[in-house]
C-alpha cells in the first residue's frame, strides 16, 4: 500500500465544495451526510493504492515453498523488499549466495560460503528460484552485481535465462577474479545483489577476507608453513562439481 499524492489538488477543491454545501445548511442533513460519505470514499480510493502485483505474488507462494527458503534467501529478500516495492510475480527466492573456486594440489575446489578469501581464484554468484506456472515458459534477464566494502561496483553480469516451472538453479556464466585482482581495495563486508528483469529480488551481504600474504604482513610473521596449514583447514572441502553443490543445497532445504 502506498500514498498517491498527484490527486491532492483536486481533492482539496472538492473538499472545499463539500464543506461549503454541508455547513451552509442548504442541503438536507441526509444529503449532506451522503456527500461527506462519498467524499471520504473518493479520498480513500484516490490517495491509497494497493500494490496488487505484490499482494498476488505473496498470496500465491505456498507455505511449503516459503518454508524451503534458506536463511540467506530470507535475509536477502527482506533487504530487497525494503529497497523496492516491486516484486516479480510468480517467483520466490529459495537461495542466493556465492561459490568460490580455489586451486589446490587436489584440483579445483569449489565451496559455497558467505566468506570468500582474496587467495581464491574467483567467485561466482547464484540464485535458486521457485517458478510458478504463470511465470514459466518465458525468457528473462538475470543480473548479478557485487559491490566491495567501499560501495564500488566490482562485478556486473547479465544473462538471459528461460524460466521453467518448478525449482531452478541459476549460476552466473562468469566469475569475479579474486587472487591478484588489483581493483579490490582489500577485505571487508561486501554486497551481492540479484535482479530479475530489472527488479531487485535479493541483496545479501558477505565477507571478503584478506589474502595469506596480507595476513602475514599484518601479523609480522613469515611462517609460510603455518599459514599454508591454516588455509588448508579453511578449504578442506573435497572436490565437487557445481551441479552437485547446488543439488546438495536443494536437498538439504527440502529435508
Amino acid at each position: 500500500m502506498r500514498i498517491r499524492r498527484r490527486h491532492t489538488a483536486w481533492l482539496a477543491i472538492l473538499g472545499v465544495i463539500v464543506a461549503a454545501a454541508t455547513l451552509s445548511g442548504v442541503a438536507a442533513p441526509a444529503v449532506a451526510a451522503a456527500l461527506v460519505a462519498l467524499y471520504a470514499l473518493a479520498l480513500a480510493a484516490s490517495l491509497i493504492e494497493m500494490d496488487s502485483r505484490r499482494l498476488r505474488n505473496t498470496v500465491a507462494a505456498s507455505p511449503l515453498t516459503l518454508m524451503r527458503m534458506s536463511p540467506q534467501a530470507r535475509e536477502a529478500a527482506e533487504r530487497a523488499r525494503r529497497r523496492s516495492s516491486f516484486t516479480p510475480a510468480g517467483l520466490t527466492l529459495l537461495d542466493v549466495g556465492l561459490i568460490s573456486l580455489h586451486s589446490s594440489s587436489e584440483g579445483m575446489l569449489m565451496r559455497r560460503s558467505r566468506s570468500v578469501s582474496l587467495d581464491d581464484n574467483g567467485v561466482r554468484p547464484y540464485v535458486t528460484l521457485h517458478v510458478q506456472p504463470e511465470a514459466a515458459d518465458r525468457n528473462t534477464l538475470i543480473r548479478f552485481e557485487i559491490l566491495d566494502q567501499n560501495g564500488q561496483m566490482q562485478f556486473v553480469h547479465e544473462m538471459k535465462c528461460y524460466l521453467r516451472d518448478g525449482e531452478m538453479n541459476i549460476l552466473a556464466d562468469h566469475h569475479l577474479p579474486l587472487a591478484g585482482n588489483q581493483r579490490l581495495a582489500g577485505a571487508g563486508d561486501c554486497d551481492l545483489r540479484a535482479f530479475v528483469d530489472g527488479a531487485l529480488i535479493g541483496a545479501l551481504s558477505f565477507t571478503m577476507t584478506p589474502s595469506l600474504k596480507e595476513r602475514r604482513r599484518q601479523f609480522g610473521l613469515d611462517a609460510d608453513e603455518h599459514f599454508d596449514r591454516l588455509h588448508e583447514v579453511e578449504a578442506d572441502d573435497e572436490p565437487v562439481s557445481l551441479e552437485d553443490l547446488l543439488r546438495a543445497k536443494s536437498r538439504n532445504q527440502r529435508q
Side-chain angles (χ1 to χ4, degrees):
M1 183 177 68
R2 56 184 178 182
I3 302 298
R4 295 187 295 186
R5 304 185 183 279
R6 60 180 179 271
H7 302 313
T8 54
W10 75 267
L11 285 173
I13 298 174
L14 184 60
V16 171
I17 296 175
V18 172
T22 303
L23 298 176
S24 64
V26 176
V31 176
L35 287 175
V36 173
L38 290 174
Y39 176 72
L41 182 61
L43 185 68
S46 300
L47 291 183
I48 301 177
E49 179 183 11
M50 296 299 295
D51 193 344
S52 58
R53 179 186 292 269
R54 182 176 178 181
L55 180 62
R56 183 171 63 251
N57 184 52
T58 303
V59 173
S62 67
L64 181 60
T65 300
L66 296 177
M67 289 176 59
R68 291 169 57 192
M69 293 178 65
S70 68
Q72 294 82 4
R74 296 181 187 274
E75 176 187 337
E78 180 59 30
R79 289 185 64 193
R81 279 193 291 266
R82 291 198 298 264
R83 298 185 183 193
S84 174
S85 60
F86 178 75
T87 303
L91 299 178
T92 303
L93 181 67
L94 296 182
D95 194 23
V96 59
L98 298 163
I99 294 179
S100 61
L101 297 89
H102 177 74
S103 299
S104 70
S105 57
E106 298 178 353
M108 184 66 71
L109 295 177
M110 287 169 285
R111 179 172 55 95
R112 186 182 62 250
S113 174
R114 288 185 66 171
S115 177
V116 300
S117 170
L118 289 175
D119 282 319
D120 293 333
N121 294 76
V123 64
R124 298 172 67 180
Y126 74 91
V127 293
T128 301
L129 301 176
H130 182 269
V131 184
Q132 297 171 15
E134 63 270 18
D137 301 326
R138 64 183 179 90
N139 287 305
T140 188
L141 183 66
I142 306 295
R143 177 184 173 97
F144 294 103
E145 295 179 355
I146 294 179
L147 288 76
D148 63 18
Q149 71 277 13
N150 297 320
Q152 299 296 320
M153 192 75 69
Q154 296 293 344
F155 178 84
V156 177
H157 178 63
E158 293 184 344
M159 52 188 290
K160 290 184 178 181
C161 181
Y162 186 77
L163 296 182
R164 293 178 174 82
D165 184 13
E167 183 175 319
M168 291 190 63
N169 292 315
I170 303 175
L171 181 69
D173 296 332
H174 297 79
H175 70 275
L176 170 66
L178 295 179
N181 190 341
Q182 301 299 322
R183 292 185 55 191
L184 297 176
D189 293 331
C190 305
D191 271 326
L192 165 64
R193 298 175 183 175
F195 300 80
V196 176
D197 290 333
L200 180 66
I201 61 168
L204 184 70
S205 63
F206 68 95
T207 302
M208 186 174 295
T209 62
S211 63
L212 293 177
K213 181 179 180 181
E214 178 62 21
R215 278 183 275 184
R216 294 189 191 104
R217 188 191 65 80
Q218 291 177 356
F219 288 99
L221 298 176
D222 294 325
D224 294 348
E225 294 183 0
H226 170 74
F227 282 95
D228 288 341
R229 287 196 299 269
L230 176 62
H231 187 71
E232 290 176 359
V233 171
E234 293 177 347
D236 58 356
D237 298 331
E238 296 181 355
V240 62
S241 68
L242 292 174
E243 185 177 1
D244 291 341
L245 197 63
L246 294 177
R247 284 181 176 176
K249 178 67 174 178
S250 300
R251 286 197 299 269
N252 292 336
Q253 291 174 4
R254 284 193 291 267
Q255 293 173 357

